[in-house]
Each structure stands twice: as structure tokens, then as C-alpha cells.
Amino acid sequence: MAYQIIDSCVNCWACEPLCPSGAIHSAQPHFFIDRNRCNECDGEHVEAQCASICPIEGAILDRWGVPANPPGSLTGIPPARMRAAMAEIRSR
Amino acid sequence: MQLPVIGRQVAQPSEGGCSASGCGGSSDHLSHLPQSIRDKVRDHPCYSEEAHHHFARMHVAVAPACNIQCHYCNRKYDCANESRPGVVSELLTPDQAVKKVIAVAAHIPQMTVLGIAGPGDPLANPERTFETFRQLSEKAPDIKLCVSTNGLSLPDHVEALCQHNIDHVTITINCVDPEIGAKIYPWIFWNNRRIKGRRAAEILIQRQQQGLQMLTERGVLVKVNSVMIPGVNDRHLEEVSQVVKAKGAFLHNVMPLIAEAEHGTFYGVMGQRGPTHGELQSLQDKCAGNMNLMRHCRQCRADAVGMLGEDRGGEFTMDKVEEMIIDYEAAMRERAAYQQVALATLEAQRKPAGEQRIPLTALGGRKRTPRPMLVAVATTGGGVINQHFGDAREFLVYEASPMDVRFIGHRKVERYCGGGSSSGDGESVLQKTIAALAGCEAVLCSKIGYEPWEMLEQAGVAPNGEHAMEPIEQAVSAVYAELVAKGRRRDAAGEEIFLQAGT
């Protein structure tokens, strides 16, 4: 069981110092979680620390590959609204 | 120690007639402060309006992590063309940051100040932030060190800030009411949990206020930044101003919301608008009744370099900095010499406190006072009118009245010379510039071409190149006096004023 960081990570360093297992490392192109060290903060914290401070929706996946912070959950922007705004910008 | 703050009683001009204590604000608005505090801010471009004409600052982007989310922020790190807080091109380690500061200080003699402002929150990255400060206080002892924070971690770091001689701290405080805060901050990270809604805002507000009080008790100068968000906190910011003044904040900086859909922020995507120039000025005037107010902020990037209106970051990317060979001792002497001259110039340009700009004799026997007028100015710094109209990337706006000339703000524009004549949407660069100068009745510059001259005149903005190299406030005052003397000003009731100078 482990979390993972995917390519939408913006390398902001917020998660790295919080990991109680020392499982998070800076890397290229983005931060990376050592699967062998990550214990999902079990026994350490109520919530997985990396997923609790990460500012980017979808950048951290849980053990089932599900985004810990799904679209809209952090920014408050409804996903449909975001898609419409992005489509409008691309069409300019 | 409780710091004195500026209130109405000290900023009053010798005669009434102005709506806010901003009267006299563009000149020596710090004159009532103790010498020790004036010395701290007289060459600080972000704390003193008059200093920002002569001195430069830089930010180093060593602090990427943040512990809260604001609805006006989206921290992309790779955009060189956007200028707003939270955006940087290149993240630095403390060692790189120190190299960069030394390089910039050796090349830009105006530089007095180094700030850490992100792109995240400096105090959410305490190791990187304080390591940078520690090295700089050793290697560049003549540079003032500042930090800007959202306040959440501030109480934990007040001691460390004092130990590192950080005597200027900026806290962004957008509200003191958690109901309003919940509309600005979707979440905070606090005690190992992500907290949302009203509770998050409550904690943040409590920590900001606690940190503010701890700093002012220790004699640290605190500036409070507030983002004006129409319909969210615009009516609330007057109260914020009162509260932070009571806690000893030195300066309040009310800034307009920057929100565009392409920034990907909540406010940008949801269509929240920013304030108009008029709305911002009106709120600033109301807050100025409570305390010393800053109007010259350019809302710069977390890696900005140079004078406030410019960004020379491109000259100091890390690959360029690594190539530079620097004799810092020599650069420090050169800088000290430059800054001594700049301070003398600044003193010379300052008018005596309470002096009226327009001699009352010029108003003749009139009962009613001419109304104030906005004047735009093109300058590259030095406190004088020294820029060609077509070279300006921004215009400073001053309000002239019979009582005084005061700085109101700035208007960003596209450079007219050298750029394309049309920006794609059919509107020319010149048309956009004229729109940006809305409300201004004259524009002062060192020179101006025929085409812009004609278009400005048609738009009711009088172009004027006759005051090149003159100190800004004196020139604005002279132009106003001239127009009053010509009888072209209408009074407050909208009636044309017909009077002759000296009659």
C-alpha cells in the first residue's frame, strides 16, 4: 500500500518535509514517493500528509490509483466550469 | 514597544479642503515619525512612496511550498510573461539565491532591499528562508532583509525573524471576519490536517492577528497587504484597516484583485472581476483616513528584480549569474556612494511639510475651489519626468488640487514604440493606452510623437512635454496652476471657472 505522485505535480516541495516515513524525494520531472517506504501515514496521522497539503488536484493517487484530491475538491471550481473556461481560452 | 501609526491628526494639511489624510501623502508623509523609523524606511521602495523613485528591490524565489490556498492564487512556476505575486520562472536554493543577490546588488546600485515572498509562503519553508537570510546578513550586510507571509505560521517564527534582523515584515490580511474569509480561502493546512471553510478562516485570522501583535511589540515594522475583491471584502477592508492600525501595523497596502481565466485561479475562472481604478482609489482614500496607506505597489512577482515599475529578472537568470565575476567590496562602496546622492536628491525634491502647492493668490477672489485633476506621468525613476511617452510601460497618476499634489497609483500599458501597432483584437496599442489613462486630464513626459499627441488631445488628455527633467510633483503642480490660471478648470459644481492668475 502506497500513495504515488504523478506528472501534474508542480514540484512545490510542500509534501516532502511532512512525510513521517521519509518516503518522498525531489526528482525529475517531478517528486516521487518510494513505494517501499510509504505507509500512507498509518499510525502516524489521521490523514496522509502529502495528500493533505498538496495544492494540485489529481497529482497524488491513493493505493487504488484514485486521486486523493479529485477535480474541484481543492480549488472549489466545478470541473465543468473549468473545462468550459479552458475550452474558451484555447479557442481564442 | 508599540509603534506609532499615522492617523489623521498628524497628516492634516495646514488648510482644510481635502477628503482624506492622503493630503500631503505624496510628499513627506513620514515626517511625523521618529527618526529611527524614518531611517528604516527612507530608502525602502516598498515602504516609502518617495523612495520608490530612487531605490530598487529584489525577491528571491526560495520558498515554493504553501500552507494555505487563496482563491486569487495559482502557483505556476514557468511563466515569464505574467507579472503577479506567486509566479516565478526559476526556483532557487538558498546558495543560488545568495549568489543572485550579490550579483544584482553589484550591478544595480539602487538596490537596497531583498525580500522573500514566495512563490509559496516563506514561513512554510522556514529552513530555506532562514538559511538565505543567515548567509545574506553575513555576506551582504548593507542589504535590508524583508519577508512577506500569509501569517499562518508567523507566531512560530517571530523569534527567528528578530534574530535574523528582519525588521520589515508584510502580512497579507484580507479579512478579520471568518465569514468573509471562507469566501477567500478554500483551505489551510494546520496541525497535520487540511481544514476547510469557516473554521480554516478562523484559524488563519487568529494567527495573522497574533503574529502582527507579536511583531509590533518587538519593534518590527509591519506592512499589511490586502487584496480588494469587489463584492467579497471591499466593504470590509476599512474595518481591517482599523483593526491592523490598532495592533500597530505601520502601513496598509490595498491592492486590486488580479483575476483572469487563463491564470486558472478560482476567481479568474469563476469570472470574479477586479476593482476599477476609481473603486480602488475610493477604498484607498477611505482606508487612508485610518492609517498610512500605500498606493505605489506594483504587485510584483516572487522573483522580481529592479525598480518597482520594471523587472530586470531576465538579466539575472542563474546561468548568467554563475558567469559573473563580482568584486562585492567595490560594488558595496559604489552602491553606498550612489545611495547617498539619491537620498540627497530625494530630500531636495521634497517640499516643506504643509506648504501649499498652488499659491492662494493664484485663485484670486474666488469663493469656490477648483476641483482636483488627475495627471499621468512618464518616468524611469529618479523622481523626475524623464521618459518618452512611447517608451512608457506604466504611467504614474497624481492628483493635483489647490492644496497639494498626491500620488494616486499607476496604470500599466503596453509600450507604444517598438511594439506592434495593433494587438490583435483590432484595438491599437495607443487606443488601449488612452483607455488606461481614463480620468487623467494631462500626461507629462519628456517627449511625445505627433500621432499620440493628436489622439490624446482628441481624447481630452492634454499631452505635455514641457517639463522634462523636472521633479514630478513640482511639474504636476505647475501644470495644474497653469490650467487653473487659464480658467479651464471646472469647480466642484461643474461650473466653468473663469479667473486670471493674480487677479
Side-chain angles (χ1 to χ4, degrees):
Chain A
M1 60 182 211
Y3 277 65
Q4 63 168 310
I5 295 173
I6 63 169
D7 57 7
S8 48
C9 166
V10 296
N11 295 314
C12 83
W13 288 85
C15 57
E16 189 263 358
L18 295 176
C19 179
S21 316
I24 302 182
H25 304 287
S26 79
Q28 287 303 323
H30 56 78
F31 275 68
F32 139 92
I33 297 175
D34 181 343
R35 296 187 70 84
N36 298 319
R37 288 193 141 194
C38 173
N39 66 355
E40 299 181 356
C41 296
D42 189 27
E44 306 273 356
H45 297 286
V46 180
E47 297 169 3
Q49 293 299 284
C50 55
S52 299
I53 199 166
C54 181
I56 305 298
E57 292 164 352
I60 299 185
L61 307 183
D62 67 14
R63 68 172 93 170
W64 298 284
V66 175
N69 299 301
S73 65
L74 300 183
T75 59
I77 304 170
R81 184 71 179 256
M82 188 61 142
R83 281 195 297 275
M86 293 304 124
E88 194 273 321
I89 290 165
R90 277 195 299 274
S91 72
R92 283 180 197 171
Chain B
M1 153 192 162
Q2 198 72 22
L3 282 170
V5 288
I6 297 176
R8 295 189 70 95
Q9 72 283 3
V10 286
Q12 286 294 333
S14 57
E15 300 260 336
C18 204
S19 61
S21 65
C23 275
S26 60
S27 290
D28 191 11
H29 59 260
L30 307 174
S31 59
H32 62 289
L33 291 172
Q35 192 61 38
S36 60
I37 293 177
R38 296 181 63 185
D39 287 347
K40 278 186 180 181
V41 299
R42 65 180 182 160
D43 59 353
H44 196 312
C46 314
Y47 277 67
S48 158
E49 193 276 318
E50 60 181 16
H52 101 280
H53 297 290
H54 302 273
F55 298 101
R57 54 72 181 106
M58 72 178 289
H59 287 163
V60 284
V62 295
C66 199
N67 47 13
I68 72 173
Q69 177 70 52
C70 306
H71 272 329
Y72 45 77
C73 181
N74 176 23
R75 291 171 308 113
K76 295 187 293 187
Y77 298 144
D78 53 354
C79 188
N81 298 319
E82 275 178 52
S83 187
R84 59 188 169 99
V87 172
V88 300
S89 297
E90 191 175 37
L91 196 63
L92 306 179
T93 65
D95 291 348
Q96 288 174 317
V98 171
K99 269 192 184 170
K100 181 171 175 177
V101 173
I102 303 258
V104 171
H107 286 86
I108 301 183
Q110 294 96 325
M111 181 173 147
T112 51
V113 169
L114 175 278
I116 300 182
D121 185 73
L123 301 181
N125 304 255
E127 285 172 15
R128 291 162 151 257
T129 296
F130 286 112
E131 174 58 15
T132 309
F133 284 146
R134 188 191 64 73
Q135 289 193 35
L136 283 174
S137 52
E138 263 175 37
K139 294 178 186 169
D142 60 328
I143 301 284
K144 284 184 206 296
L145 304 176
C146 312
V147 72
S148 180
T149 177
N150 62 42
L152 182 61
S153 301
L154 180 57
D156 304 335
H157 298 291
V158 167
E159 285 312 318
L161 288 168
C162 292
Q163 278 166 20
H164 288 79
N165 291 322
I166 314 300
D167 54 7
H168 300 76
V169 174
T170 299
I171 314 173
T172 301
I173 298 180
N174 296 317
C175 56
V176 290
D177 174 350
E179 288 298 328
I180 293 171
K183 296 175 187 162
I184 302 172
Y185 306 103
W187 57 265
I188 67 170
F189 182 80
W190 175 247
N191 283 346
N192 299 101
R193 302 185 75 151
R194 196 187 313 261
I195 297 172
K196 298 184 176 180
R198 187 194 156 100
R199 176 79 188 119
E202 265 173 16
I203 296 167
L204 179 63
I205 290 166
Q206 187 273 321
R207 298 284 288 178
Q208 289 171 337
Q209 295 297 320
Q210 184 188 350
L212 167 61
Q213 190 150 4
M214 289 171 76
L215 287 169
T216 56
E217 281 168 4
R218 285 162 179 77
V220 178
L221 284 185
V222 180
K223 167 158 72 72
V224 169
N225 281 356
S226 299
V227 181
M228 177 184 182
I229 310 155
V232 176
N233 70 347
D234 49 345
R235 291 171 178 219
H236 177 57
L237 284 178
E238 264 184 277
E239 184 187 347
V240 171
S241 211
Q242 283 163 12
V243 169
V244 301
K245 177 196 174 186
K247 288 225 165 65
F250 166 76
L251 183 65
H252 194 192
N253 173 24
V254 179
M255 310 174 293
L257 171 71
I258 301 173
E260 301 291 342
E262 48 269 47
H263 296 159
T265 61
F266 174 86
Y267 287 144
V269 172
M270 302 302 279
Q272 167 70 49
R273 71 173 180 93
T276 63
H277 295 303
E279 287 170 336
L280 178 67
Q281 188 187 326
S282 158
L283 176 61
Q284 286 175 332
D285 285 347
K286 284 179 192 161
C287 294
N290 293 316
M291 67 183 297
N292 196 9
L293 198 91
M294 172 169 175
R295 300 169 193 262
H296 66 278
C297 180
R298 303 297 199 282
Q299 296 173 280
C300 59
R301 294 160 56 97
D303 57 3
V305 172
M307 305 289 282
L308 292 202
E310 68 180 7
D311 188 359
R312 298 176 58 182
E315 297 169 43
F316 299 97
T317 53
M318 270 331 282
D319 52 338
K320 291 179 184 159
V321 166
E322 298 285 2
E323 299 290 311
M324 295 176 185
I325 298 162
I326 286 146
D327 178 351
Y328 193 75
E329 290 294 320
M332 207 155 86
R333 285 193 298 275
E334 190 192 327
R335 202 158 65 243
Y338 169 86
Q339 291 176 6
Q340 209 178 348
V341 173
L343 279 175
T345 309
L346 184 153
E347 292 289 336
Q349 286 171 355
R350 183 185 292 155
K351 72 179 173 65
E355 178 193 304
Q356 285 179 336
R357 280 290 175 188
I358 316 295
L360 286 179
T361 50
L363 302 178
R366 281 197 49 77
K367 300 278 192 305
R368 275 186 287 209
T369 356
R371 66 174 172 78
M373 163 171 94
L374 296 186
V375 176
V377 166
T379 174
T380 60
V384 294
I385 292 161
N386 58 358
Q387 193 172 33
H388 194 294
F389 178 85
D391 283 335
R393 291 174 197 277
E394 65 171 17
F395 290 90
L396 303 190
V397 178
Y398 289 77
E399 184 186 74
S401 71
M403 299 310 306
D404 211 334
V405 171
R406 62 179 189 137
F407 177 78
I408 293 294
H410 69 284
R411 309 273 173 92
K412 283 186 181 156
V413 296
E414 253 180 86
R415 199 165 158 262
Y416 166 65
C417 287
S421 59
S422 170
S423 50
D425 49 9
E427 202 179 17
S428 74
V429 170
L430 203 49
Q431 284 169 324
K432 282 188 172 175
T433 300
I434 289 168
L437 294 177
C440 299
E441 295 177 57
V443 57
L444 308 189
C445 50
S446 63
K447 276 187 176 171
I448 179 166
Y450 181 70
E451 189 192 0
W453 180 287
E454 273 214 314
M455 281 183 66
L456 281 163
E457 276 206 322
Q458 281 167 16
V461 186
N464 188 325
E466 290 165 21
H467 296 273
M469 297 316 289
E470 285 179 24
I472 294 169
E473 292 178 19
Q474 289 175 25
V476 170
S477 177
V479 168
Y480 184 65
E482 210 176 291
L483 289 175
V484 167
K486 278 187 191 159
R488 285 180 54 187
R489 312 298 320 133
R490 288 172 185 276
D491 66 10
E495 288 174 28
E496 194 87 33
I497 295 165
F498 295 101
L499 75 149
Q500 297 298 314
T503 58

